[in-house]
Amino acid sequence: MNSATRLVALFAAFTPISLAAQTVNSIDLALAQRIDRIAAQVLEQRGVPSASVAVVKGGKIVYTHAYGKAHLTPDVTATPAMRYSIGSVSKQFTAAAILILQEQGKLSLDDAVGKYVPGLTRGDEVTIRQILSHTSGYQDYWPEDYLMTPMMKPETAQQILDTWAKKPLDFEPGTKWQYSNTNFVIAGEIVEKISGQKLMEFLGEHIFHPLGMKSVWNSDEAKLTSTDATPYIRAALGPLRLAPKEGRGWMFAAGELAMTAHDLALWDESLIAQSVLKPESYKEMFTEIKLKDGKGTHYGLGVDVTQHDGHRSIDHSGEVTGFVSANEVLVDDSVAVAVLTNHMAGGAGEIAQLVATTVVGGGAQTEAEKLTLAIYRDLQKGHIDRNLLAPNLNDYFSEQTVVDFRDSLAPLGEPLTFKQAHEELRGGMTFRVFRIVYPGKHLTLSTYTYPDGKLEQFLVDPAD
């Protein structure tokens, strides 16, 4: 079977699948409703046509749902079985392919890239680890957030490297962090040269097939089908318009994948369970790369390595023309959220973070949180228990002030999260700051409390 025939066979294996295979609902109704509320409100505020969301809890997919319109003319409702391009979330799959080759003894992360891809600037110095962590110095071929005219024409990986990876480096290898799609074109070339397979074939054999990711599509080779989500763009605040398509070859190993949110969540399950790679490979992927001066980069190998409200997060966003994605995996909590949208306005990351926070939960509330939230809820109804207030704050809460609190806060409804963020002593009182999160709106609430429990301050402001 030649390469072209193998590629056709691969696409045949990744054809549209039944809706039943993609719809999962095994969480309680209240949590599902909170997730639905987050997604619906963010879409409305951002003007995004649709989103597909998959949630992992306890290491397993527990909820999938789609929101909004996958296509506007004609009007088509989004479903969980529809595919979206995931953009740069693809990079973690390319990084995993490199790690698999290292497990097979065919390369080392510390090999020079020039060992496998000749002719690159300082290819005998830059390592595979540096290209996977964006510390190589190779210039990004696509930093723009729109599709330029030259990118509407076909291009090959070699042409991209000839143009961008043979320029002088932007910085000395290992001394800075700078996101660069060029790095992953090099990585994709390495995978193909060492394995003797197309990157999609290699990923299919080692990742997609074993995990049952049946919806995966190479959107670099061909645009998504009429049964999938349609990409949209907007000029300034103008109307939504169909997005143009990148020319064949431009996305390759940096952003070629499309799939359902459900199948991306299958990959997230494997990251939590560490079921595809060896433990040492996951450690390599999830460990923050340090620069030569010791500074952290908040990036591992193909993934962001961050903290989400104190929880370790392995995450990444993705963007190709008309699609934006976000994939957040709280590996220590066995929670993940995959969000795919069909508009460049974003919103995917906001949905992912809010849903992750909601699914993880904040644990038991402190007494200060319970009391402060109770007062906040009363003010939403236009009431204040003046027995809780010191004289100055009692004066502050005039009849008009209470009305202003009610009229401005009541429409927001119940907060998604209400957590204390800071506490210190000042002026003989305890000063506390609480963070209040709604979809599309974050507030801060500050209080001063005397030792006898009386409140001297209770102020609500937009968060910075």
Side-chain angles (χ1 to χ4, degrees):
M1 185 184 293
N2 62 32
S3 178
T5 305
R6 288 199 305 269
L7 198 57
V8 170
L10 183 65
F11 280 131
F14 297 142
T15 52
I17 49 183
S18 70
L19 178 61
Q22 293 286 291
T23 304
V24 179
N25 188 356
S26 56
I27 57 174
D28 64 84
L29 179 60
L31 180 54
Q33 289 175 336
R34 286 169 71 84
I35 294 169
D36 293 347
R37 177 186 168 205
I38 291 167
Q41 290 188 8
V42 171
L43 291 192
E44 181 179 0
Q45 290 159 359
R46 295 272 192 158
V48 177
S50 76
S52 186
V53 176
V55 177
V56 174
K57 185 179 182 183
K60 299 296 181 184
I61 300 174
V62 295
Y63 191 60
T64 58
H65 201 78
Y67 309 84
K69 303 298 180 183
H71 192 83
L72 302 180
T73 307
D75 190 311
V76 178
T77 300
T79 73
M82 292 177 173
R83 292 176 291 208
Y84 294 67
S85 289
I86 67 170
S88 288
V89 178
S90 304
K91 289 181 171 66
Q92 57 200 258
F93 293 95
T94 302
I98 291 284
L99 288 165
I100 290 168
L101 291 172
Q102 179 172 256
E103 291 175 0
Q104 295 173 347
K106 296 179 179 178
L107 59 72
S108 166
L109 289 175
D110 295 315
D111 286 344
V113 294
K115 181 177 179 180
Y116 308 103
V117 183
L120 305 183
T121 299
R122 297 174 67 176
D124 58 340
E125 300 175 56
V126 176
T127 67
I128 295 174
R129 190 186 304 274
Q130 288 169 337
I131 63 170
L132 295 182
S133 61
H134 298 298
T135 58
S136 67
Y138 287 118
Q139 191 174 104
D140 189 4
Y141 72 86
W142 193 6
E144 297 86 353
D145 292 314
Y146 67 98
L147 185 62
M148 298 83 72
T149 302
M151 291 186 66
M152 297 181 188
K153 299 177 181 179
E155 186 84 321
T156 66
Q158 188 59 55
Q159 288 170 327
I160 291 172
L161 298 185
D162 287 344
T163 304
W164 281 274
K166 296 183 180 179
K167 291 183 175 183
L169 298 182
D170 284 352
F171 51 84
E172 288 294 306
T175 63
K176 293 182 181 180
W177 186 90
Q178 180 176 279
Y179 194 85
S180 175
N181 290 287
T182 307
N183 287 318
F184 278 78
V185 174
I186 298 170
E189 285 284 278
I190 291 172
V191 173
E192 293 195 346
K193 288 187 177 183
I194 293 179
S195 69
Q197 295 176 281
K198 291 293 185 181
L199 177 61
M200 283 291 291
E201 294 173 356
F202 187 87
L203 292 173
E205 177 183 345
H206 295 279
I207 297 175
F208 302 148
H209 289 308
L211 294 179
M213 298 171 63
K214 298 179 181 179
S215 72
V216 178
W217 181 266
N218 185 347
S219 59
D220 195 35
E221 289 288 330
K223 70 178 183 178
L224 289 169
T225 72
S226 60
T227 60
D228 296 312
T230 299
Y232 290 94
I233 57 173
R234 173 185 279 122
L237 304 181
L240 291 170
R241 301 192 186 281
L242 290 173
K245 177 73 174 69
E246 301 89 354
R248 185 171 178 264
W250 280 104
M251 293 186 290
F252 184 40
E256 67 185 342
L257 300 180
M259 63 188 70
T260 62
H262 172 277
D263 281 5
L264 182 53
L266 289 176
W267 165 249
D268 294 341
E269 285 185 354
S270 78
L271 294 181
I272 293 167
Q274 299 196 0
S275 60
V276 172
L277 307 176
K278 294 179 180 178
E280 53 267 32
S281 292
Y282 286 107
K283 184 177 181 181
E284 295 265 27
M285 178 181 277
F286 297 168
T287 298
E288 179 188 33
I289 295 296
K290 299 294 180 67
L291 301 177
K292 288 184 177 180
D293 63 3
K295 291 181 180 178
T297 61
H298 303 296
Y299 204 87
L301 304 180
V303 292
D304 290 301
V305 180
T306 59
Q307 290 286 318
H308 178 120
D309 291 336
H311 300 263
R312 185 165 64 117
S313 178
I314 304 301
D315 56 81
H316 213 284
S317 61
E319 177 184 310
V320 294
T321 310
F323 290 105
V324 173
S325 63
N327 193 46
E328 179 154 1
V329 186
L330 306 181
V331 287
D332 300 327
D333 301 278
S334 298
V335 166
V337 182
V339 181
L340 311 179
T341 66
N342 62 335
H343 180 32
M344 299 285 278
E350 184 176 6
I351 294 171
Q353 289 202 357
L354 290 173
V355 170
T357 297
T358 298
V359 174
V360 171
Q365 283 190 312
T366 66
E367 289 303 313
E369 288 169 343
K370 290 177 183 178
L371 174 61
T372 308
L373 178 56
I375 297 170
Y376 179 86
R377 286 169 171 161
D378 278 348
L379 283 166
Q380 286 183 301
K381 300 172 184 176
H383 305 299
I384 183 74
D385 183 353
R386 295 187 179 276
N387 292 320
L388 300 172
L389 312 182
N392 288 331
L393 190 58
N394 187 59
D395 291 343
Y396 170 82
F397 274 112
S398 65
E399 182 178 338
Q400 184 60 63
T401 299
V402 172
V403 169
D404 288 347
F405 266 69
R406 180 198 66 193
D407 291 350
S408 61
L409 299 179
L412 300 178
E414 183 69 9
L416 293 171
T417 60
F418 189 104
K419 296 295 295 179
Q420 182 174 315
H422 179 72
E423 180 177 318
E424 65 179 61
L425 296 177
R426 183 176 176 187
M429 298 173 285
T430 301
F431 174 65
R432 295 184 177 94
V433 176
F434 301 85
R435 187 175 68 170
I436 308 170
V437 175
Y438 292 97
K441 184 180 291 294
H442 296 183
L443 306 176
T444 58
L445 191 162
S446 62
T447 65
Y448 276 105
T449 308
Y450 286 107
D452 65 0
K454 294 282 188 177
L455 285 165
E456 177 70 6
Q457 177 168 301
F458 196 97
L459 302 180
V460 176
D461 297 287
D464 293 334

